[in-house]
Amino acid sequence: MNPSRLLPTGLTLAACALAACSDTPDPSGVEVPEAALGSVAHDQATPTPLVDVATPFGTLLFWPYTGTNYTGTPQDPVNVVFAGKADPRALRASLLFLDGDRSAYGMPPVFPFDCTWSDAIGGMQTAYSRAAGWVGSTIQLQCGDYDPIRFHLRFFEGGGFTLGGAHFELLVPGTTTHQVLSWELAEQLVVVDFIRSGILDQAIPMVPTGTINPAPSFREIPAAVYAGVPAGLREAIGDPAPLPNGNYPIGTNGESVVLNVADPAEVQVGIARQERVVEFDQIIPKPFCIEGPLDYLFVTGPVNMRQQVHVSPAGNFVSQFKAVGKLELTPINPLTGETGEPYRAHVNEHHKGIHTDNVQLTSQLQIQALLKPGGGERFVSTLNVAPGSASLASLEVRCAG
């Protein structure tokens, strides 16, 4: 690719643009301080607002969003909740058994609506319930594949019930960043599949929560991304009208649904592995240590990703993910196409998830090192969600000069 190609400035890939963090635009969940020197730790305060959802199977009290740390900054809406026998390991098994035929429920037997479920590569997130406190997305699934389009579902064990965050997303070409296209379409597909699974209570299979999230929309699709969405998919996500800034709203009715699980599938024993290489070939805003509004980079090179999920005969779930990349960065003026002296970047990302009968652990480490002439720059983001004092979230940024 010729680096004079210009990516429209409406596409902001933010701090994960050089890493492998999928659909999370900013792994820190906070803006990098302008001085960008030193580190920031995030306290584990109770987020607001909490919603109190009364159901025939108990009252559920939780934060109606997911996050990327403990700041209470919303990332995604919680748009599906599981009550009853709602262990995330059993929910995972219930989806993995399904085929991709949803035609009986009005979904066409064509891509991407004929997808099947598998374990997902995706950034770790946090959620909160009064019963369990802060919890992590130890288990996450995808219907479809990492590239180009998929449905993505995260589970958060909330202490007697499980919170779910589902979205329909596409991979931004030439990057490892996913852009959410729809909350509602993903919620519909997840509900359909749990109906198909046969695990819901026949007397009261589900109840609505009422409005718990913002409506009629939450977050936006950059105009540059929406321009590449095929007409059929635009219709499927509601064909939203553009906002005054040129971007497109991600529509939502602000409601979730509580699914009452009565007879979940048995936990599936085995090992699932996946490997992939993503070739960066894109112009992006510089992810950190930004020196001005025209601080852009043309990024090329491979990011190698590997994930293994192991479920033991005892039902212990362990997921491990690693991404490593050595990239070439060329400074570029997005208005003139003028380029500067190239330099390299090293990126590393590690995830681990453990879910047993006694312990749930979620961890994520992201490191980005820019090897600039005259002085390197460094971004380190850490997230641990674990019992007791082992939980932490921190951000460290070091800029040249």
Side-chain angles (χ1 to χ4, degrees):
M1 169 187 161
N2 187 330
S4 64
R5 185 186 74 176
L6 178 61
L7 179 71
T9 56
L11 181 53
T12 302
L13 302 182
C16 84
L18 301 182
C21 47
S22 78
D23 52 86
T24 305
D26 183 347
S28 68
V30 296
E31 293 186 7
V32 177
E34 186 173 345
L37 294 173
S39 61
V40 178
H42 306 306
D43 294 332
Q44 298 172 44
T46 301
T48 57
L50 299 184
V51 295
D52 191 341
V53 178
T55 76
F57 7 96
T59 298
L60 313 178
L61 186 62
F62 59 93
W63 186 44
Y65 303 97
T66 69
T68 57
N69 51 39
Y70 304 114
T71 63
T73 302
Q75 177 64 32
D76 297 343
V78 169
N79 55 359
V80 61
V81 182
F82 303 89
K85 299 179 181 179
D87 187 306
R89 294 169 294 176
L91 298 177
R92 169 184 178 269
S94 299
L95 291 182
L96 293 182
F97 281 125
L98 297 178
D99 62 24
D101 184 4
R102 301 173 179 86
S103 56
Y105 296 87
M107 293 189 174
V110 297
F111 175 82
F113 303 103
D114 60 353
C115 62
T116 56
W117 291 94
S118 61
D119 295 293
I121 291 174
M124 297 299 193
Q125 291 190 355
T126 55
Y128 184 91
S129 75
R130 179 68 78 187
W134 286 100
V135 292
S137 56
T138 302
I139 297 176
Q140 49 185 308
L141 300 176
Q142 63 185 11
C143 195
D145 200 4
Y146 186 89
D147 181 13
I149 295 174
R150 67 178 182 179
F151 297 87
H152 189 180
L153 173 62
R154 292 181 173 95
F155 295 119
F156 305 83
E157 206 287 318
F161 63 99
T162 292
L163 303 172
H167 48 273
F168 179 55
E169 63 187 10
L170 64 79
L171 184 69
V172 178
T175 76
T176 55
T177 298
H178 285 92
Q179 170 61 51
V180 174
L181 298 179
S182 175
W183 315 113
E184 293 297 326
L185 189 61
E187 179 183 334
Q188 293 167 16
L189 184 132
V190 168
V191 170
V192 162
D193 277 5
F194 277 102
I195 293 172
R196 292 200 302 138
S197 72
I199 70 171
L200 301 183
D201 183 86
Q202 293 186 4
I204 308 178
M206 67 188 75
V207 295
T209 63
T211 302
I212 61 172
N213 306 122
S217 66
F218 181 70
R219 288 177 42 189
E220 300 175 4
I221 305 169
V225 174
Y226 194 78
V229 177
L233 286 183
R234 291 186 185 187
E235 182 178 353
I237 65 175
D239 196 16
L243 299 167
N245 64 4
N247 294 338
Y248 292 79
I250 306 176
T252 171
N253 61 12
E255 296 187 4
S256 182
V257 61
V258 182
L259 302 180
N260 186 18
V261 180
D263 187 24
E266 293 185 4
V267 174
Q268 196 169 19
V269 176
I271 297 175
R273 298 185 179 94
Q274 56 178 308
E275 297 185 25
R276 66 173 54 248
V277 178
V278 174
E279 289 286 345
F280 260 88
D281 184 23
Q282 189 61 274
I283 296 173
I284 65 171
K286 189 181 179 189
F288 59 96
C289 296
I290 300 167
E291 298 177 3
L294 301 182
D295 201 356
Y296 277 63
L297 298 170
F298 172 53
V299 184
T300 59
V303 174
N304 297 276
M305 296 185 287
R306 176 181 297 177
Q307 178 168 279
Q308 176 175 293
V309 174
H310 179 213
V311 182
S312 74
N316 298 328
F317 175 96
V318 179
S319 173
Q320 297 190 70
F321 167 80
K322 182 177 182 180
V324 177
K326 294 184 178 181
L327 307 173
E328 182 168 289
L329 315 180
T330 302
I332 184 169
N333 185 310
L335 299 182
T336 66
E338 181 181 359
T339 60
E341 181 179 354
Y343 57 94
R344 296 191 65 80
H346 292 175
V347 298
N348 288 272
E349 185 166 340
H350 302 264
H351 305 169
K352 188 171 186 178
I354 298 175
H355 191 121
T356 72
D357 290 340
N358 301 311
V359 175
Q360 289 84 51
L361 168 68
T362 302
S363 67
Q364 176 175 281
L365 172 65
Q366 296 175 321
I367 301 174
Q368 301 178 30
L370 308 186
L371 310 180
K372 294 182 62 177
E377 298 176 338
R378 182 178 174 90
F379 176 103
V380 180
S381 176
T382 302
L383 173 67
N384 287 338
V385 190
S389 60
S391 291
L392 64 92
S394 65
L395 169 67
E396 180 180 355
V397 179
R398 300 287 177 180
C399 298

